Amino acid sequence: MTRTCGRGSRDGDAGGLLRPRADEVIPPADAHLTRRQVLQVGSLAAGASTTAALLGACTSSSVSSAPTTPAATATATATPTVQTTATPSPTTPTSVAFNPAALQALEEKFAGRTPSAWGLDIAGIMQRTDSSAVALTLDACGGDGGNAVDMRLLDFLRERSIRATLFLNQRWIHANEQLAIQLTSDPLFELGNHGTKHCPLSVVGRDAYGIAGTASVKEAILEVAHNHRTLFELTGKEPRWFRSGTAHYDDVGVQICLELGETPVGFSVNADGGATFPAADVAEATLQADAGAILIAHFNQPDGETAPGLELALPQLLDAGFRFDFLS
C-alpha cells in the first residue's frame, strides 16, 4: 500500500496534471511536455481565469471557502487577478528525476543506509543565504485543508514589489492548476519544490508534528522526484530548491535530495508558526529577520493571520533598508 504523508492526500484525483503514485515508474519526459503545452493552451483560451481561494490550511483540518474568480465560461468583462502568459519553452531536463534507470541506481546506492541525524538544522540544509537581502519563502502544502490560496498576501507582495520563493506541493498544484501556471510568469515569484505528498524527508519513517515521513529510500526519492517533474512541466525549468513537509530531514534524505539536483532548504526565521500565529506574532517574528535570513510562512491559509502580520512587518523592513530577493 502506498503511504500517505501529510493530511488529506488526494493522489487518486482524476484529470489535471499527471498524478504518478509513489510506486509507479516515472514515464518518459516527453509525456509531461505535451501535457504542459496543452495546459498552456487551455489557460490562454480561458482568458486567464484564476482560482482566488479554495480549501483549508497546511496542517490544519479546518476547511474554509471563499468566492472563486469566474470560470472560463464567464463574460468577457471578468478581470483576472493574475495575467496569464505562455511559459517559456522547456529546456532539456538533465536531472536524475527524469531517468528511471538512474532513479533505480540511486535507490540501490542508498539502500541500507542508516540515518545518523534528524531535524530542522542538520548539515546540508540551507538555512541562510550569502546575500545581503532577506529571502521570503512561502509554502503551499496541499491536501484536504491545505489547498487554499491567500490572494490577499500575494496581491500585497505585488503591490509592494516584494520578491518571494513559493514552495508548491504537488497536491496544491493539482488543485490550483491555472493559478500555478500563472505564477510561473510572475517575475516577483520563483517556484520551489514542496514535495509530492508533503512528507518529512526520511528513509525510516520519522515523523514531525504528527505527519509521517517517507518510510524508505524509494519513498524519499519519489517525494522529491515526482514533484520535480511536475514543476518542470509547469515552468520549463528544473526546480533548484526543495523544502520537505514540515522542513524536517534526516541526513540520508538530505543527500538524496542533493543527488536529485535540488538544495534542501530550511529557514532561519519562522514567521507564522505553520500559519497558526496571530498577526501581532507574525509581525514580531518577521521583524527578527536580518541580512541573509530565510523567512518561512504560508500562502495557503487565507483564514489565518499570516497576511495581516506580514503587511505590518514587511514595510518596516523595507523602511529599515532591507531588500527581498529569491534564494537563487
Side-chain angles (χ1 to χ4, degrees), residues 22-92:
D23 57 351
E24 287 181 328
V25 175
I26 295 179
D30 289 346
H32 285 267
L33 302 184
T34 301
R35 178 60 177 151
R36 188 179 71 85
Q37 292 162 353
V38 169
L39 282 172
Q40 289 176 358
V41 173
S43 174
L44 292 170
S49 62
T50 182
T51 301
L54 296 175
L55 300 177
C58 178
T59 57
S60 169
S61 59
S62 64
V63 177
S64 63
S65 62
T68 58
T69 305
T73 55
T75 63
T77 59
T79 301
T81 302
V82 184
Q83 183 180 2
T84 301
T85 59
T87 55
S89 299
T91 57
T92 302

Side-chain angles (χ1 to χ4, degrees), residues 119-129 135-139 165 167 193-194 209 240-249 254 257 262-271 292-298 327:
L120 295 165
D121 58 355
I122 64 174
I125 300 174
M126 181 182 180
Q127 295 180 297
R128 299 183 63 86
T129 74
L136 175 63
T137 67
L138 301 172
D139 291 358
T165 300
F167 282 95
N193 184 351
H194 200 28
Y209 311 130
R240 296 179 55 191
W241 314 109
F242 177 85
R243 176 177 283 146
S244 64
T246 76
H248 280 71
Y249 308 77
V254 165
C257 188
E262 298 192 40
T263 299
V265 177
F267 57 89
S268 53
V269 177
N270 186 345
I294 297 176
L295 284 163
I296 184 175
H298 295 76
L327 290 171

Side-chain angles (χ1 to χ4, degrees), residues 45-286:
S49 62
T50 182
T51 301
L54 296 175
L55 300 177
C58 178
T59 57
S60 169
S61 59
S62 64
V63 177
S64 63
S65 62
T68 58
T69 305
T73 55
T75 63
T77 59
T79 301
T81 302
V82 184
Q83 183 180 2
T84 301
T85 59
T87 55
S89 299
T91 57
T92 302
T94 60
S95 169
V96 172
F98 295 87
N99 187 327
L103 288 175
Q104 180 63 38
L106 187 61
E107 182 179 354
E108 293 170 357
K109 176 179 179 177
F110 286 96
R113 294 200 186 181
T114 302
S116 59
W118 165 256
L120 295 165
D121 58 355
I122 64 174
I125 300 174
M126 181 182 180
Q127 295 180 297
R128 299 183 63 86
T129 74
D130 295 329
S131 171
S132 60
V134 174
L136 175 63
T137 67
L138 301 172
D139 291 358
C141 306
D144 289 344
N147 285 333
V149 183
D150 192 341
M151 291 305 304
R152 171 178 172 175
L153 177 52
L154 294 181
D155 289 343
F156 169 73
L157 297 178
R158 294 188 182 105
E159 290 167 5
R160 298 304 298 261
S161 297
I162 295 174
R163 288 183 169 186
T165 300
L166 308 181
F167 282 95
L168 308 186
N169 177 257
Q170 189 185 66
R171 300 171 304 169
W172 187 92
I173 295 171
H174 290 163
N176 298 279
E177 290 179 2
Q178 296 301 319
L179 178 58
I181 292 169
Q182 292 161 7
L183 289 172
T184 68
S185 62
D186 192 318
L188 285 176
F189 304 131
E190 70 170 352
L191 303 187
N193 184 351
H194 200 28
T196 302
K197 297 181 180 180
H198 192 255
C199 301
L201 200 66
S202 170
V203 296
V204 291
R206 292 288 297 268
D207 69 278
Y209 311 130
I211 298 177
T214 48
S216 66
V217 168
K218 180 177 182 179
E219 287 189 14
I221 290 171
L222 296 183
E223 176 67 11
V224 180
H226 277 162
N227 200 37
H228 184 109
R229 292 179 62 86
T230 296
L231 285 162
F232 177 81
E233 180 180 335
L234 281 172
T235 66
K237 298 184 293 185
E238 298 191 58
R240 296 179 55 191
W241 314 109
F242 177 85
R243 176 177 283 146
S244 64
T246 76
H248 280 71
Y249 308 77
D250 66 31
D251 55 319
V252 180
V254 165
Q255 292 304 311
I256 287 171
C257 188
L258 291 169
E259 291 267 359
L260 286 164
E262 298 192 40
T263 299
V265 177
F267 57 89
S268 53
V269 177
N270 186 345
D272 71 350
T276 66
F277 288 173
D281 290 351
V282 173
E284 181 180 0
T286 301

